[in-house]
Amino acid sequence: MGPNTTQSLPLARSSVLAAHKTISPLIHRTPALTSSSLSGSLPGKNPLYFKAENFQKGGAFKFRGASYNLSCLTPEELAKGVCTHSSGNHAGALALAAQQRGVKCYVVMPNNSAQPKIDAVRSYGASITFCEPNAPARAATLAAVQAQTGATFIPPYDSVNTILGQGTALLELVEQVPEKLAAVVAPVGGGGLLAGTALAADGTGIRVFGAEPAGADDCARGIEEGKRRPDVDAHTIADGLRTPVGVLNFPIIQEKVEKVITVTDEEIIEAMRLMWERMKIVVEPSGAAAFAAVRNKQFQELGIQGAIGIIISGGNIDLSKPLPWVRVHTE
């Protein structure tokens, strides 16, 4: 049930550059946003540049990795379609990328997935198979789908091509900002975005940091302990970050990321509220985690001088439910 790896490039900055050249015609070059009030609210008054991947196709950075994965498949593989497991943004991204190419897409989703995410995947023409919300059921269901269809598995985060595709967001941000970035912060769940960002920053002098919910801090704890933690007992509002960090992703993060900052749900919600209020943009909790980390004492104590890049990972949120700060303030 392994992913296609026959056309993978090495895990290096040069490969991220090559991936970007391949997918540039397919993706949105999302804007780099600024906010003088949010920059001014920091003790160091650092200029902040937000890479707005909430404006990416499918509403999240995941479209980058999905597009690059499809670009690396052979015509024979594309003819049989692609498959994956995901409860959210990767499912939608792969379904949309497949639809754009006329490729069949099969998605295994937990039966407790959010209805807007299910609706999005369906709207992009993918075939959904539901499973119980646990890893063994997910793996067994995906294996059955693959056996029946012959589709190629496209992993959400733990594959070379996914990592390379996700790293392209930072390449664009560096080109878009009018000054050199001193640091960049990206959220970490499975680690595709953070590992890719670290590769893209390699040799540039940009310091790379991760942002992880305190209720799903397997990556930060794994770095402290010197080995990857294969499981995470996740309790966080940031549903996109409830995944254990990937096998390929962890050593890249371990080597190239200076620190993974852990943030509480309260910090994530406050950062999210500020971004909605001051920047007038729709950001999901996972997408606010990096800004929450920049506001966190652990990060501020580093005393970083200069511009900071913040990757907003996505904006897919169920707007039929009360926004999280409404619940926090009324309970």
Side-chain angles (χ1 to χ4, degrees):
M1 201 175 70
N4 172 73
T5 54
T6 54
Q7 297 185 42
S8 293
L9 296 170
L11 284 163
R13 185 172 192 272
S14 58
S15 302
V16 181
L17 289 162
H20 190 241
K21 189 174 180 181
T22 299
I23 65 173
S24 285
L26 306 168
I27 62 173
H28 285 324
R29 185 179 174 91
T30 54
L33 306 178
T34 59
S35 168
S36 55
S37 69
L38 294 183
S39 295
S41 70
L42 299 176
K45 314 294 184 194
N46 303 73
L48 299 178
Y49 294 96
F50 297 84
K51 182 60 170 165
E53 285 296 288
N54 50 323
F55 295 153
Q56 188 53 260
K57 293 180 182 180
F61 74 93
K62 296 277 190 181
F63 190 77
R64 294 174 180 272
S67 295
Y68 186 58
N69 267 292
L70 285 172
S71 297
C72 294
L73 298 184
T74 65
E76 293 76 19
E77 287 169 324
L78 289 170
K80 292 180 179 177
V82 291
C83 63
T84 198
H85 55 75
S86 168
S87 60
N89 289 339
H90 176 65
L94 185 64
L96 180 57
Q99 184 189 54
Q100 285 192 347
R101 292 168 180 261
V103 172
K104 292 176 185 171
C105 181
Y106 307 91
V107 178
V108 173
M109 299 186 79
N111 55 22
N112 63 349
S113 298
Q115 193 60 45
K117 303 273 173 92
I118 297 169
D119 293 344
V121 173
R122 279 213 176 102
S123 74
Y124 300 141
S127 169
I128 301 175
T129 304
F130 292 102
C131 68
E132 290 299 312
N134 60 66
R138 183 182 71 188
T141 307
L142 184 66
V145 168
Q146 247 194 319
Q148 186 179 352
T149 62
T152 299
F153 172 43
I154 306 296
Y157 49 87
D158 203 351
S159 87
V160 172
N161 290 337
T162 302
I163 292 168
L164 297 178
Q166 315 308 26
T168 60
L170 178 63
L171 294 181
E172 291 178 3
L173 181 59
V174 168
E175 292 175 354
Q176 290 168 309
V177 301
E179 57 189 307
K180 181 173 170 57
L181 294 176
V184 64
V185 187
V188 57
L193 179 61
L194 183 56
T197 299
L199 291 176
D202 209 19
T204 65
I206 300 171
R207 298 163 71 178
V208 182
F209 297 88
E212 187 172 44
D217 63 346
D218 64 290
C219 186
R221 289 168 67 187
I223 289 169
E224 283 178 16
E225 296 164 4
K227 62 180 181 182
R228 174 180 173 268
R229 298 171 68 96
D231 301 302
V232 57
D233 184 19
H235 300 282
T236 175
I237 191 172
D239 60 322
L241 306 179
R242 292 175 184 159
T243 318
V245 67
V247 174
L248 285 174
N249 316 65
F250 182 73
I252 299 170
I253 294 167
Q254 201 176 20
E255 179 193 346
K256 299 184 184 299
V257 174
E258 188 170 328
K259 186 177 179 63
V260 174
I261 309 286
T262 54
V263 288
T264 65
D265 273 13
E266 288 73 22
E267 288 176 298
I268 290 172
I269 291 167
E270 178 62 10
M272 180 180 165
R273 185 185 66 79
L274 284 168
M275 293 167 82
W276 279 62
E277 187 178 272
R278 308 284 176 87
M279 299 177 74
K280 318 301 179 191
I281 57 173
V282 176
V283 179
E284 63 186 280
S286 303
F291 179 48
V294 169
R295 300 177 76 240
N296 183 279
K297 187 180 176 186
Q298 295 174 72
F299 186 84
Q300 288 301 321
E301 285 177 345
L302 297 169
I304 293 172
Q305 303 291 313
I308 298 169
I310 293 171
I311 299 185
I312 303 173
S313 55
N316 292 323
I317 187 166
D318 187 349
L319 292 173
S320 69
K321 295 179 179 176
L323 292 165
W325 52 86
V326 175
R327 287 203 294 276
V328 166
H329 291 165
T330 57
E331 286 173 1

